Amino acid sequence: MPSVPPKWFRSRGYLHFDLPVGYKKAVAVVTNPDIVARHAFYPFINYTVKSKKINKDKITNELNISFKERPIAYSSHMDSHIYAYYTKILSKKYEDKIRNSGLENSILAFRGLGKSNIDFAYDAFEKIKKSGECSAVALDFSKFFDTLNHKFLKDSWASLLNSSKLPADHFNVYKSITKFSTVNKLDLYEKFEISINNPKNGRKRVCTAKEFRDIVRKGNLIVPHKAPFGIPQGSPISALLSNIYMFDFDIKMKNYVDECGGEYYRYCDDMLFIVPTELRDEVAGIAQEKVKELGLSINTDKTELRTFKYENRQLKADQMLQYLGFIFDGENIYIRSSSLARYSEKMKRGVSLAKKTMKKYNAIRDNKGLSRESLYKRKLYSRYTHFGGRNFITYGLRAAKKMNSKTIKHQLKPLWRRFNDEIEKF
């Protein structure tokens, strides 16, 4: 094994239907097209992430709480190595193609550019400032990964390889990601009496190959995906395939806005057009037309048409523009209020749990005649304050520094006091 493994190889510690795969074995499989062409892919193990969405009512200013479910599917160890290796092959060709097409500054997500959404949002806001009076059209796809058309994906994949059809190895990878199957994680763990909180507990895999055949397959735990559209979100190759799928669309949109003297950005399923104001509605209409041709649809609830004009020599938006987690009014940049509210709620829950844990263990210490322990704060400081490495506060501070935003600093300032208030509550 080389001292530094290639980027496509990553040891994965989770439980799946197969055992973790070493580098030598992975190389022997993924670099042999004949083996890949015959490889039998395991079903994905899937589960749903439920996230809370907090939105402020524009009229009453009240916070509305809703829940969004996002399906996640993860592949077996060997399957993941194959997906990652073929991602490497396709990425090189894709990068060459978008570079030759002038798209390198328009396609932002899943490209290893060494930048974050902070950089991308800031670049877009600076472009608006530079453009002066203009309009921004922000569009969002509905259920992006779930609606990618399989035939269109296959044709786009073959086109990237400069071929009329996919080679046998690529075709097998394509089939595995379109005609995939899933096994629900909760049902699977229940069947094999695996703890959700401590799944390994001496295990190296979910089950043996024989148990997979006799219990998982014969037990009807496998759910095949029969629709002619949709790919699993979470595999090592899914993100790149979504970019490949969108290539022709990206070219058309980029060429169109270039003729208008505007800018086009796409970050996964978020699109942003910066164009002369007189073309605002036309751009939105053309984009929606072209999206339909892809078999996709626009989430109209998230569509934003914003116009920027000078008032007293200051650029002002008719309504705030939301983009990649930030809000821009023409002059100032803010973090979304919903993000701040979500942080506060998460922080309160974390502090509350730490206090309950402290009371529980102090009750045990009381019974043993031991002295009480104070609240363990190190983890709380790490998770919810600027003393941590990577958390919401440090993210906000990075954004404020990058964007030179006093308004973001002003938004973050009260959070330190709120944190300490929660700590002091009894």
Side-chain angles (χ1 to χ4, degrees):
M1 182 173 176
S3 56
V4 180
K7 289 183 179 180
W8 64 264
F9 179 82
R10 181 166 64 87
S11 181
R12 295 168 171 85
Y14 54 69
L15 289 183
H16 216 288
F17 297 120
D18 63 347
L19 290 166
V21 180
Y23 176 71
K24 190 175 180 180
K25 183 178 178 181
V27 169
V29 172
V30 304
T31 59
N32 189 321
D34 292 334
I35 293 178
V36 174
R38 298 190 306 270
H39 179 75
F41 288 80
Y42 272 114
F44 288 82
I45 295 176
N46 73 324
Y47 62 97
T48 300
V49 175
K50 197 173 184 180
S51 58
K52 185 178 289 187
K53 295 187 68 179
I54 303 175
N55 295 305
K56 182 178 286 188
D57 190 291
K58 294 179 181 178
I59 299 174
T60 64
N61 281 330
E62 292 182 354
L63 293 178
N64 297 320
I65 298 176
S66 60
F67 293 91
K68 180 180 179 181
E69 292 188 346
R70 187 164 64 98
I72 297 294
Y74 57 103
S75 49
S76 73
H77 296 284
M78 182 57 81
D79 296 352
S80 293
H81 292 313
I82 292 174
Y83 290 138
Y85 184 75
Y86 276 74
T87 295
K88 173 200 165 194
I89 293 172
L90 296 175
S91 289
K92 175 67 168 64
K93 295 180 180 296
Y94 177 73
E95 287 295 325
D96 290 343
K97 196 168 183 178
I98 64 170
R99 196 176 299 110
N100 293 335
S101 303
L103 283 170
E104 65 268 31
N105 295 321
S106 292
I107 313 306
L108 309 177
F110 315 133
R111 292 187 51 218
L113 299 175
K115 293 185 176 183
S116 70
N117 64 313
I118 295 172
D119 300 285
F120 299 136
Y122 183 57
D123 290 345
F125 299 153
E126 285 296 294
K127 178 60 182 178
I128 291 172
K129 284 184 179 181
K130 187 177 178 181
S131 299
E133 295 199 341
C134 63
S135 286
V137 178
L139 303 174
D140 189 283
F141 290 103
S142 291
K143 298 181 178 179
F144 186 47
F145 287 91
D146 295 336
T147 53
L148 298 182
N149 180 277
H150 292 168
K151 185 180 184 309
F152 193 92
L153 175 60
K154 183 172 70 172
D155 292 342
S156 301
W157 193 330
S159 175
L160 183 66
L161 299 175
N162 293 316
S163 175
S164 59
K165 66 177 185 178
L166 292 176
D169 55 328
H170 284 262
F171 183 67
N172 196 32
V173 177
Y174 158 79
K175 278 198 307 179
S176 74
I177 209 76
T178 53
K179 298 184 183 298
F180 63 96
S181 296
T182 58
V183 175
N184 181 269
K185 182 178 180 178
L186 294 179
D187 294 340
L188 181 67
Y189 278 26
E190 182 180 354
K191 180 68 71 173
F192 288 97
E193 298 181 348
I194 299 173
S195 167
I196 289 292
N197 298 320
N198 184 24
K200 288 191 174 180
N201 196 24
R203 285 179 176 267
K204 293 185 178 179
R205 65 195 299 182
V206 170
C207 59
T208 65
K210 186 177 186 303
E211 288 173 327
F212 175 80
R213 293 190 298 270
D214 294 344
I215 300 176
V216 179
R217 180 169 286 142
K218 290 182 180 179
N220 297 318
L221 292 180
I222 300 175
V223 179
H225 180 80
K226 297 180 179 179
F229 51 81
I231 63 175
Q233 187 172 347
S235 84
I237 201 171
S238 295
L240 174 63
L241 292 182
S242 71
N243 272 347
I244 293 171
Y245 188 96
M246 295 297 297
F247 179 79
D248 287 342
F249 173 88
D250 291 330
I251 280 288
K252 291 173 184 175
M253 292 297 96
K254 179 68 166 64
N255 290 342
Y256 174 75
V257 296
D258 280 352
E259 291 177 3
C260 302
E263 290 289 336
Y264 166 64
Y265 303 105
R266 183 175 63 79
Y267 187 97
C268 188
D269 55 356
D270 285 318
M271 291 176 287
L272 180 67
F273 302 84
I274 302 170
V275 295
T277 297
E278 62 270 19
L279 297 176
R280 186 191 74 173
D281 295 338
E282 180 182 310
V283 168
I286 290 175
Q288 293 197 45
E289 236 176 69
K290 298 299 181 185
V291 164
K292 285 181 182 178
E293 292 175 7
L294 293 174
L296 306 176
S297 59
I298 296 294
N299 184 347
T300 54
D301 291 339
K302 292 187 177 180
T303 296
E304 295 191 10
L305 306 178
R306 305 291 184 253
T307 297
F308 295 84
K309 290 184 178 179
Y310 284 112
E311 293 180 13
N312 300 322
R313 298 182 181 179
Q314 193 172 38
L315 195 63
K316 289 286 185 183
D318 56 351
Q319 292 184 67
M320 295 272 207
L321 171 66
Q322 290 195 54
Y323 185 57
L324 301 183
F326 296 93
I327 299 175
F328 181 57
D329 65 5
E331 180 67 25
N332 301 303
I333 302 172
Y334 304 83
I335 294 175
R336 289 187 307 179
S337 57
S338 59
S339 299
L340 297 167
R342 191 160 52 246
Y343 158 82
S344 292
E345 186 175 348
K346 188 176 179 181
M347 178 269 292
K348 288 177 182 178
R349 284 202 310 268
V351 173
S352 176
L353 179 61
K355 288 181 177 179
K356 287 178 181 177
T357 302
M358 176 191 70
K359 290 177 182 178
K360 175 184 173 182
Y361 285 106
N362 276 338
I364 295 173
R365 295 180 70 83
D366 287 344
N367 289 333
K368 292 181 177 180
L370 301 173
S371 61
R372 290 191 163 204
E373 295 284 347
S374 58
L375 181 65
Y376 187 67
K377 299 179 183 179
R378 179 177 295 178
K379 188 176 288 185
L380 296 175
Y381 278 103
S382 176
R383 287 181 177 177
Y384 306 115
T385 78
H386 59 283
F387 292 114
R390 295 183 68 85
N391 59 43
F392 177 77
I393 300 298
T394 56
Y395 166 81
L397 291 173
R398 286 199 308 275
K401 183 178 180 180
K402 171 68 181 180
M403 298 173 166
N404 193 26
S405 173
K406 293 180 180 179
T407 47
I408 291 179
K409 287 182 180 179
H410 182 72
Q411 287 178 293
L412 296 174
K413 193 172 182 180
L415 301 185
W416 172 250
R417 186 182 67 250
R418 287 183 204 169
F419 170 77
N420 282 294
D421 287 346
E422 287 299 315
I423 292 287
E424 296 301 321
K425 276 184 185 177
F426 288 98

